[in-house]
Amino acid sequence: MAASRLTLADELSDIRAEIARLQQRENRLQALADDLPVIPVFRRGWPMLRKQPASTTVSATVSA
């Protein structure tokens, strides 16, 4: 029983270490993203995509 608890404690410790590592990586990546210049999505002179007009519905009359 003690061996399984020790194994679980080790696994929990490994998981917590992995979480800490991922949080540090997230912080580094966020710092990189914050330092990058803003790139505009649309620039003057670029053609803008226009929305297609809504399709018209055609109703058919059925005679009985």
Side-chain angles (χ1 to χ4, degrees), residues 4 7 10 16-17 31 33 37 47:
S4 65
T7 304
D10 289 342
R16 287 181 175 154

Side-chain angles (χ1 to χ4, degrees), residues 9-49:
D10 289 342
E11 186 174 347
L12 183 58
S13 175
D14 290 344
I15 291 170
R16 287 181 175 154
E18 181 71 9
I19 290 170
R21 186 187 68 78
L22 290 172
Q23 286 173 335
Q24 289 174 353
R25 181 170 185 240
E26 180 182 12
N27 291 337
R28 286 192 306 267
L29 289 173
Q30 186 61 51
L32 284 173
D34 291 342
D35 290 342
L36 290 175
V38 176
I39 300 172
V41 176
F42 299 105
R43 296 184 183 185
R44 280 185 220 170
W46 283 14
M48 297 289 289
L49 294 175

